[in-house]
Amino acid sequence: MNAPRRIVRRPPVATVGEWPAHWPEPLRRAHAARGSSGQDAAQPRLASLLPPTGMLGLDTAAALLRDAIAADRRIVVTADFDCDGATACAVAVRGLRLLGARHVDFAVPDRQVHGYGLTPALVATLEPLQPDLLVTVDHGIACHAGIAAAKARGWQVIVTDHHLPGPTLPAADAIVDPNQPGDDFPSKALAGVGVLFYLLLTLRASLGVKADLASLLDLVAVGTVADMVPLDANNRALVGAGLRRLRAGQGCAGLNALATVAKRGLATLTTSDIGFAIGPRINAAGRLEDMRLGIECLLTDDAAQAHGFAEALHAINAERRGLQDEMLAAADAAMARIDTAATDAAEGFCLFDADWHPGVIGLVASRIKEQRHRPVIAFAPSGNDDGMLRGSMRSIPGFHARDALALIDARHPGLIDRFGGHAMAAGMSLAEPALPAFRDVFADVLRGTLDPAVLHEHVDSDGELPHGALDIAHALALRDGGAWGQGYPEPQFDGEFEVLDWRVLGGKHLKLELGLEGRRLNAIHFSGWTGDAPPSPVRIAYRLQ
């Protein structure tokens, strides 16, 4: 039985301020409810981007890169194997070349061979590249051993990251992470690709050259949306600018090709298209294959080559979805074996299956978290026959995923091998024999730190739409009216409808025909089939499409 969902309307906010005359009232209302007081706040432009002032380590990192470019040194970018890491890597390689670097290469760990981040194992494989300077993107803040191994070889290391640091920082030559201690940058919400973009801006200013770094904003937008960081005003300025480039056909060949294979029109591309179509295809390479494929897709300027890469990523994503469905069925079966009363009373879940793939456990944790509205950790064997498990945690608002793991590590040193992450998602590795003890400790942390109030799920609504607003004009205005996403959600409304007809699609979705004041409206409830006919009348939360 799922946690109860309650539709909660956002409090009404006066839509005072400078709004375009053609914006309909529901769009103004939605922006006002999210804290915007006019179009400039609702759709921030690049001119309003926060200056780099205050971001610790930027000047030092820029000076190291400036010297490396001047001396024609070899620079190697090391990336994380998710979409944020892939886009950050592509931005780094493209940007450094734009700024005059002639010897730039990249490397990305194999999830099963090297583990996460800049590990000593990955460092050993970089020796044939003969790097003088390593630049980590979207990782590094917790890579003490790997950075030490690189330094021992005489290489300089710049860390660019956005994850939360541990009690100590690694011994890198420069660290750029807005979440490190002492950093005064006003926004802590930048994704890894956003941090790297700020470093390039600082480097360009240091070099005193002209280079079109705005050409990289399509990649910045995709990485920012896909990593589900909060879209504060600064991130919305970055994402909005990137979306405009993509819609104008000015995106890189790889992103254009990915949109094509995903059957998304560039002229009307949305953040939702990025989150549900483009991002997963890039992510799939890192989950099941080699993320080099995803990065090469983002680096090529040859349209035909980009299309070939995109088709390959599309096929890998289809394989990932099939594997995910099998794992989700196993997870659902495991949940069904748990007593209903115990399930409803549980503060969270810790799942393990010896047949699960370590690249897909994050998706399993996400699905169970969405179904049960509880923090979830899913474990799978590492795939290296080393007796280790990989774990992926997804959390709910009010329970900080990485802080929970840090608390476990502090109370039981050595129980967790490695961990990292942020509020809503974290990853870890654990010796398989330690799993029963970890389950008990995780349950203790949940009982001791989780506020029971956060277990009651609610669905925010921007209120009811007037009958006349249920039309294509309002749907298009709402779709195109903002850079919607995490922390600045797409407008959602609620209302009571008659269910005139319904049928099941694909064994799990509900196709509905709804009635309202004599009108018939089509609707679809993804993953909405529970085995019971939908009630009528029914109050639903919905988005216009």
Side-chain angles (χ1 to χ4, degrees), residues 127-179:
E127 288 192 350
L129 299 177
Q130 298 180 318
D132 299 300
L133 172 63
L134 297 185
V135 180
T136 74
V137 293
D138 191 33
H139 73 283
I141 200 68
C143 298
H144 295 70
I147 291 171
K151 296 289 292 177
R153 288 167 168 81
W155 307 340
Q156 293 178 316
V157 181
I158 296 173
V159 168
T160 73
D161 203 349
H162 70 123
H163 294 100
L164 296 170
T168 60
L169 296 177
D173 295 274
I175 297 176
V176 185
D177 184 335
N179 290 297

Side-chain angles (χ1 to χ4, degrees), residues 528-541:
W529 174 237
T530 62
D532 298 317
S536 183
V538 61
R539 177 164 290 278
I540 62 170

Side-chain angles (χ1 to χ4, degrees), residues 249-518:
Q250 297 172 341
C252 69
L255 291 180
N256 291 345
L258 285 166
T260 298
V261 299
K263 295 182 170 57
R264 297 301 198 273
L266 281 174
T268 57
L269 202 71
T270 66
T271 51
S272 180
D273 292 326
I274 292 173
F276 290 100
I278 294 177
R281 282 166 172 78
I282 299 172
N283 269 326
R287 294 187 186 281
L288 298 186
E289 298 285 343
D290 183 353
M291 183 49 92
R292 286 193 68 92
L293 177 63
I295 296 170
E296 293 285 8
C297 182
L298 302 179
L299 285 177
T300 183
D301 292 319
D302 182 283
Q305 189 178 53
H307 187 74
F309 285 138
E311 288 283 8
L313 291 170
H314 181 71
I316 295 169
N317 189 56
E319 179 186 354
R320 185 272 306 169
R321 292 177 65 175
L323 182 60
Q324 176 186 337
D325 287 345
E326 292 177 8
M327 290 170 59
L328 288 173
D332 288 340
M335 296 298 294
R337 289 193 292 269
I338 303 174
D339 178 75
T340 299
T343 300
D344 291 344
E347 290 91 353
F349 301 101
C350 185
L351 308 175
F352 167 69
D353 192 307
D355 294 326
W356 283 352
H357 190 289
V360 190
I361 49 175
L363 301 175
V364 172
S366 291
R367 179 67 64 87
I368 302 300
K369 182 264 295 185
E370 290 166 4
Q371 291 175 349
R372 306 288 175 163
H373 193 66
R374 299 290 191 273
V376 177
I377 303 180
F379 284 100
S382 70
N384 297 330
D385 295 325
D386 56 3
M388 299 298 293
L389 303 179
R390 298 276 169 78
S392 190
M393 180 176 178
R394 297 295 182 268
S395 194
I396 59 177
F399 186 76
H400 198 294
R402 189 205 170 276
D403 284 358
L405 296 182
L407 181 59
I408 293 172
D409 188 56
R411 290 179 178 176
H412 304 273
L415 179 63
I416 302 174
D417 182 54
R418 298 176 68 209
F419 70 93
H422 43 80
M424 302 302 290
M428 58 180 294
S429 58
L430 182 79
E432 185 168 351
L435 181 60
F438 177 84
R439 275 199 172 109
D440 292 340
V441 172
F442 181 56
D444 288 342
V445 167
L446 286 168
R447 282 191 292 267
T449 63
L450 186 66
D451 182 353
V454 307
L455 298 179
H456 297 286
E457 185 178 11
H458 68 268
V459 178
D460 287 329
S461 168
D462 290 297
E464 293 197 52
L465 278 179
H467 180 273
L470 295 169
D471 59 19
I472 186 64
H474 280 78
L476 293 175
L478 291 164
R479 181 195 70 186
D480 298 332
W484 313 109
Q486 190 77 11
Y488 204 88
E490 186 178 352
Q492 182 166 260
F493 307 93
D494 74 278
E496 187 171 282
F497 299 84
E498 296 291 333
V499 178
L500 303 176
D501 194 13
W502 63 275
R503 59 191 173 92
V504 180
L505 293 179
K508 58 182 179 180
H509 311 303
L510 274 181
K511 178 74 170 64
L512 301 160
E513 189 173 10
L514 304 177
L516 179 67
E517 299 180 16

